[in-house]
Amino acid sequence: MDDKKIFKLLQRWYPALELKKIPKKKQRCIFQQFQAWLFAEEVTQHEPAYLMAVDAENPHENGLERCAVLQHSQIDISRTQQDIRQRTMPLYQHYEQHKQVIGKYYNVDAQVFDIVFEEIYELLKAHHFELLIIYAETAYWMAVPEDEVKIRKFCKAFAKQFKAEGICIEHYIKLDCLRST
């Protein structure tokens, strides 16, 4: 697959990328090339980015402070980071306390990732953005403008583009299911 669609859509969503040359045909289907293209410059810990990783070892390192969309919109992320910590710390504490009993049956990291993405989603939604999650060697996320049609086209083209590498994409939607108490 050598589709330019995902790159063209990204250029529309993120004007800073308009000046970037789209990768050559044979490079477009390599996820690493996609990542490199998204990074406008050499990325350091605090430079703005359009593709953020969530650290599997420490989900509190989730890229919120680097998100170019949030920085350009001057959105305060401190409350969201605080909410993530407040919701995840009891899970970690409970797991540590009862790990001998539930350890092999319970994946605390999966539940923490759910919380991290739910909080990021809530922040983005409040500012008219949507959340895309990319599952590669690690979990990545992107903030994109609300536009269901373009998001659907992007996700479909992305899935085709990187299918050979086993890279998946998801348009995150918060499920409001009943929780028993």
Side-chain angles (χ1 to χ4, degrees), residues 130-159:
E130 292 289 328
L131 174 63
L132 300 181
I133 303 172
I134 298 171
Y135 300 97
E137 75 280 354
T138 191
Y140 295 93
W141 65 274
M142 299 174 67
V144 298
E146 288 179 332
D147 186 331
E148 189 63 40
V149 173
K150 285 182 183 174
I151 291 171
R152 197 172 321 116
K153 284 180 183 179
F154 179 83
C155 290
K156 186 176 179 180
F158 184 96

Side-chain angles (χ1 to χ4, degrees), residues 30-180:
I30 302 169
F31 184 69
Q32 257 186 326
Q33 291 296 321
F34 173 79
Q35 287 175 287
W37 184 81
L38 270 175
F39 296 129
E41 298 161 13
E42 189 64 34
V43 177
T44 64
Q45 187 81 9
H46 301 289
E47 287 190 43
Y50 296 103
L51 182 67
M52 285 62 61
V54 178
D55 186 338
E57 300 293 317
N58 181 9
H60 297 127
E61 294 297 322
N62 50 43
L64 267 173
E65 69 283 344
R66 292 186 51 229
C67 180
V69 171
L70 297 175
Q71 286 182 11
H72 294 157
S73 299
Q74 298 179 344
I75 297 170
D76 182 18
I77 60 149
S78 59
R79 178 72 181 150
T80 300
Q81 287 289 43
Q82 183 181 5
D83 290 347
I84 289 170
R85 288 188 193 288
Q86 285 178 341
R87 288 185 62 195
T88 58
M89 292 317 283
L91 287 174
Y92 283 127
Q93 290 167 351
H94 180 78
Y95 179 72
E96 284 301 316
Q97 186 178 5
H98 301 287
K99 131 163 80 171
Q100 297 300 328
V101 177
I102 62 175
K104 66 182 186 180
Y105 301 109
Y106 182 70
N107 185 347
V108 70
D109 293 329
Q111 195 166 359
V112 168
F113 268 70
D114 289 344
I115 291 169
V116 168
F117 287 131
E118 185 177 308
E119 290 294 335
I120 291 171
Y121 169 82
E122 292 293 339
L123 174 68
L124 293 177
K125 200 70 174 162
H127 294 79
H128 308 289
F129 293 101
E130 292 289 328
L131 174 63
L132 300 181
I133 303 172
I134 298 171
Y135 300 97
E137 75 280 354
T138 191
Y140 295 93
W141 65 274
M142 299 174 67
V144 298
E146 288 179 332
D147 186 331
E148 189 63 40
V149 173
K150 285 182 183 174
I151 291 171
R152 197 172 321 116
K153 284 180 183 179
F154 179 83
C155 290
K156 186 176 179 180
F158 184 96
K160 257 186 185 178
Q161 190 98 343
F162 301 109
K163 183 179 181 178
E165 288 188 72
I167 311 285
C168 301
I169 190 165
E170 166 188 346
H171 177 197
Y172 184 90
I173 298 171
K174 182 178 174 187
L175 298 176
D176 291 326
C177 59
L178 296 174
R179 295 182 185 178
S180 60

